[in-house]
Amino acid sequence: MAKTLDVITIGRAGVDLYGAQIGGRLEDMGSFDKYIGGSPTNIACGTARLGLKSALLSRVGDEHMGRFILEQLKREGVETKGVVTDPDRLTALVILGIRDQEQFPLIFYRENCADMGLCEEDVDEDFIASARAVVPTGTHLSHPRTRAAVLKALDLARKHGGKTALDIDYRPNLWGVLGHGEGESRFAESAEVTASLQATLHLFDLIVGTEEEFHIAGGSTDTIEALRAVRAVSAATLVCKRGPMGAVAFEGEIPGSLDDGQTGPGFPIEVFNVLGAGDGFMSGLLKGWLDGAPWPTALKYANACGAFAVSRHGCTPAYPSWEELQFFFDRGITRPDLRNDVELEQVHWATNRHRVTGGDWSSVRTFAFDHRAQLEEMEGYSLKKGGAFKELCLDAALKVQGGQPGYGILCDNRIGRAALHRASGSGLWIGRPTELPGSRPIAFEPELGEDLGRLREWARENVVKLLVFCHPDDDDKTRKMQQARVKRLFTAARRNGLEFLLEIIPSKVGPVDDSTSAKLIQQFYDIGVYPDWWKLEPFRTGAAWENAVQAIERNDPRTRGIVVLGLDAPEAELAESFALAARQPLVKGFAVGRTIFGDAARAWLKGEMTDAEAVAQMAERYTRLCRIWDEARAGAREDAA
């Protein structure tokens, strides 16, 4: 059977609730960040980030957290057909904290949890046969039901020519050796656990663990003796992790010193959080192993991925993409606290943001109805009626979208709150404005709070949109004031895991030429602002577009792209501007508002149009603009070919 997958991991799948406060007791945590977790789940995601085709075999509950895991796995690029939804058990939870550089308290909530319901019937032969490697972790060897499932998967993998690997991943309290309050403990002697592990070790081609994990697998607290005991029952390559001293691989007999094993280069970085570091290490190791790299190279990947993990908050979110890893190798370490390395963090964000915010936005045809001042000035407006009209705008957008990708909206929270919240989860790209309409120098909507702290309340799929009226000829005071406020909002958006769209309109401030917007773009990059999206005016010349695109790509080759705005232009003018913009691959679509909703808003607010008529008219105009854009893009591609 064709091997369509590189690796299937087997075992724990849960939700990690990470304490957001660093240096405090777990008892005193006031808020938590939510991530997917469980070693096999982390490894599946970590290997997917490195370019492997990964899958998970596990179970989740039939509830919100189970759906979160499934959805996040898909965002990470992990195949989920092996993840069974358990109708009777709840998804596992783990509460974790970072007390200091030595203490990382955690509590497992896993009593009869969903992933421990994994059974032999969940193991499909064709699924296992499709993978080059099967990788369980130790916890699922601790219970008869899950152990049977793991052994069946291993037998099938070997039957179909697949490789097998074990991450020992010893958690004493998950084997019943220690109590619930001992989740942080990584070692406790148990002859029963040793015997249980040793009965399976012959089934593996690769066995990975810390020194303490080999102690439990080998039944000795002398690492060399433990490794030799494992070697006596298994011909697998043994990889022993040694913390800050890196790791060593042994393919044959175990020598008298750990220093005599094969090693890869280490990376001297500051330890911030050890939780999940082993899973990051295993991800890098599997990448090298399955690529057929020599052990020193595989260990280099593993050590680097582990270094990223110990430098950041969370497990899976900390792991690097393949592009990020290569950037790290090429550039080297510039500061040991990697999480504060601005250049590296930009690469990390840009190459992984789709896993945080979701969506493949190679095309974004956007209905913009985030207008506030323009709506408030219309005859018949009230806050209640304005909110109701924006729900009609959303109805029109959803009608055109029809569940297909590539459509978006811009919607505010002040008037359009109901529409904004209803749009979440619809599959639409959602931009949300932050500027006080018409403000120059830029001012923010009061709802953000003086410290912009209310961004933490935003849905993750909301893109922070900021419109700035600016010009290269602005006086020094105005330019510096606006730039400082843009940088402040950009920083807050990034801190909250939100994408950032910067819209610049110089034509409302002063005369423009083919270089005006490009100069502004460069000014913002010069102060360290890296928008995920740019929203630009519809330029009248190809030279203006080329200058703007070059300015963006020169500074940030990983940007999401550009959307072109409408400025209430007639449809014929928009068609002309679309044809010019569509020649630039970096332009992903448009964001047009009043051309779509202006007539309907004026008539509906005065009571001269029904809900259905308003929705129909806006949907028809939005559809027409989408068609014009698609035709312009298709024509540009034909010309380029």
Side-chain angles (χ1 to χ4, degrees):
M1 184 175 181
K3 302 292 187 184
T4 56
L5 293 171
D6 292 311
V7 59
I8 297 172
T9 62
I10 307 174
R12 290 188 285 129
V15 174
D16 288 351
L17 298 177
Y18 254 88
Q21 292 76 49
I22 309 303
R25 302 186 311 154
L26 201 54
E27 294 89 334
D28 299 325
M29 290 296 156
S31 58
F32 296 84
D33 292 327
K34 175 171 66 75
Y35 311 122
I36 55 175
S39 290
T41 303
N42 290 336
I43 295 167
C45 295
T47 50
R49 289 187 174 204
L50 296 175
L52 294 183
K53 296 176 181 177
S54 308
L56 176 68
L57 177 57
S58 188
R59 283 194 178 203
V60 297
D62 186 14
E63 20 76 353
H64 306 78
M65 293 300 98
R67 290 190 291 275
F68 161 64
I69 292 172
L70 286 169
E71 291 172 9
Q72 185 60 38
L73 286 171
K74 291 174 183 175
R75 284 191 285 266
E76 293 282 350
V78 175
E79 172 59 60
T80 60
K81 70 168 110 178
V83 182
V84 177
T85 298
D86 191 308
D88 302 315
R89 300 174 178 87
L90 293 172
T91 303
L93 299 177
V94 185
I95 296 180
L96 317 89
I98 302 174
R99 184 71 175 89
D100 52 36
Q101 288 185 317
E102 303 293 335
Q103 301 177 78
F104 305 91
L106 69 160
I107 306 169
F108 291 100
Y109 292 83
R110 295 183 49 80
E111 192 69 33
N112 194 31
C113 66
D115 67 53
M116 292 304 289
L118 189 73
C119 63
E120 290 185 79
E121 288 71 27
D122 298 333
V123 182
D124 177 77
E125 182 168 359
D126 288 343
F127 179 54
I128 298 297
S130 70
R132 295 170 56 209
V134 168
V135 183
T137 60
T139 301
H140 271 52
L141 295 171
S142 67
H143 187 280
R145 179 175 53 243
T146 56
R147 183 184 182 91
V150 170
L151 294 179
K152 178 181 177 182
L154 293 172
D155 287 342
L156 289 172
R158 293 163 70 86
K159 172 184 173 182
H160 291 281
K163 296 182 176 183
T164 57
L166 172 68
D167 186 331
I168 299 172
D169 185 36
Y170 178 47
R171 306 292 182 134
N173 68 332
L174 299 186
W175 282 80
V177 177
L178 295 178
H180 293 309
E182 300 291 335
E184 187 179 358
S185 297
R186 297 303 181 96
F187 180 73
E189 291 185 82
S190 169
E192 183 179 350
V193 173
T194 297
S196 180
L197 286 172
Q198 289 197 356
T200 68
L201 298 183
H202 65 285
L203 298 173
F204 296 100
D205 302 305
L206 171 65
I207 300 173
V208 182
T210 62
E211 291 191 54
E212 292 79 8
E213 287 168 340
F214 274 108
H215 292 169
I216 193 66
S220 172
T221 54
D222 180 292
T223 304
I224 293 296
E225 291 304 315
L227 287 166
R228 285 173 174 167
V230 171
R231 172 60 74 231
V233 296
S234 176
T237 298
L238 309 181
V239 174
C240 182
K241 296 179 286 186
R242 306 178 68 193
M245 292 184 288
V248 288
F250 302 101
E251 293 183 278
E253 292 185 5
I254 307 301
S257 170
L258 292 179
D259 295 336
D260 293 332
Q262 297 185 65
T263 63
F267 301 91
I269 48 83
E270 177 188 279
V271 174
F272 175 67
N273 168 35
V274 302
L275 300 171
D279 303 334
F281 177 96
M282 188 68 171
S283 299
L285 190 73
L286 290 172
K287 169 64 174 174
W289 185 50
L290 291 173
D291 280 358
W295 284 112
T297 300
L299 289 169
K300 175 185 176 181
Y301 297 167
N303 290 337
C305 290
F308 278 106
V310 301
S311 300
R312 293 171 173 155
H313 197 262
C315 298
T316 289
Y319 302 154
S321 66
W322 180 246
E323 182 179 349
E324 179 186 359
L325 192 63
Q326 298 311 302
F327 173 85
F328 178 69
F329 289 151
D330 292 341
R331 192 209 59 173
I333 298 172
T334 60
R335 56 185 301 168
D337 52 339
L338 299 185
R339 69 191 179 282
N340 294 319
D341 182 330
V342 175
E343 188 179 22
L344 182 63
E345 284 300 291
Q346 171 61 23
V347 178
H348 179 67
W349 169 260
T351 57
N352 290 297
R353 65 186 151 211
H354 61 286
R355 300 177 172 101
V356 179
T357 57
D360 171 18
W361 301 115
S362 54
S363 176
V364 187
R365 293 156 291 188
T366 306
F367 179 8
F369 51 91
D370 58 328
H371 305 68
R372 286 143 287 163
Q374 296 94 331
L375 207 63
E376 290 165 338
E377 292 168 357
M378 290 184 182
E379 182 182 344
Y381 171 83
S382 68
L383 180 61
K384 182 178 180 180
K385 290 177 71 176
F389 179 75
K390 294 204 173 194
E391 290 213 67
L392 298 180
C393 291
L394 176 60
D395 289 340
L398 292 171
K399 182 177 181 180
V400 175
Q401 177 212 25
Q404 299 300 308
Y407 295 87
I409 63 168
L410 284 168
C411 182
D412 65 292
N413 188 61
R414 175 148 54 89
I415 300 172
R417 179 176 302 172
L420 178 70
H421 293 180
R422 181 158 64 92
S424 290
S426 66
L428 290 168
W429 179 93
I430 303 171
R432 179 172 168 180
T434 56
E435 74 280 350
L436 203 60
S439 60
R440 175 176 152 85
I442 190 66
F444 300 124
E445 282 278 9
E447 67 174 14
L448 296 179
E450 287 290 331
D451 63 350
L452 305 180
R454 301 292 288 275
L455 283 175
R456 70 190 297 270
E457 300 174 4
W458 283 33
R460 275 292 168 88
E461 61 194 296
N462 289 178
V463 175
V464 178
K465 173 251 178 184
L466 178 64
L467 163 59
V468 185
F469 294 104
C470 52
H471 196 279
D473 295 335
D474 281 341
D475 63 81
D476 191 58
K477 180 181 178 181
T478 300
R479 183 176 65 256
K480 287 182 177 178
M481 182 183 296
Q482 295 214 118
Q483 287 181 347
R485 291 176 182 174
V486 172
K487 179 68 177 289
R488 184 172 160 230
L489 182 65
F490 164 74
T491 303
R494 185 65 59 82
R495 184 174 61 247
N496 286 279
L498 299 167
E499 294 193 27
F500 181 71
L501 180 151
L502 183 57
E503 176 180 1
I504 53 173
I505 301 183
S507 67
K508 301 293 186 181
V509 180
V512 298
D513 59 28
D514 289 348
S515 64
T516 303
S517 289
K519 290 176 181 176
L520 286 170
I521 289 166
Q522 186 61 55
Q523 287 179 1
F524 284 111
Y525 280 124
D526 287 343
I527 63 168
V529 172
Y530 285 77
D532 302 281
W533 297 92
W534 288 92
K535 189 177 176 201
L536 302 178
E537 294 184 274
F539 304 135
R540 296 184 179 275
T541 69
W545 273 115
E546 288 171 8
N547 290 338
V549 168
Q550 287 173 10
I552 294 170
E553 292 183 331
R554 180 173 62 247
N555 290 278
D556 183 12
R558 304 174 185 88
T559 187
R560 284 278 206 180
I562 302 167
V563 291
V564 59
L565 57 93
L567 291 179
D568 199 20
E571 193 173 285
E573 283 187 27
L574 285 176
E576 186 178 342
S577 69
F578 283 2
L580 198 59
R583 297 176 187 172
Q584 301 293 334
L586 196 61
V587 180
K588 305 302 180 184
F590 62 83
V592 174
R594 284 170 288 173
T595 305
I596 299 173
F597 77 75
D599 291 340
R602 284 183 283 271
W604 186 87
L605 288 171
K606 290 189 293 185
E608 297 172 354
M609 180 178 281
T610 66
D611 292 358
E613 289 169 340
V615 170
Q617 183 186 95
M618 291 188 290
E620 191 273 333
R621 292 185 178 185
Y622 183 26
T623 298
R624 214 160 54 227
L625 283 178
C626 291
R627 186 182 307 117
I628 292 170
W629 171 261
D630 291 344
E631 290 172 353
R633 176 65 90 197
R637 286 172 177 161
E638 287 179 7
D639 292 342

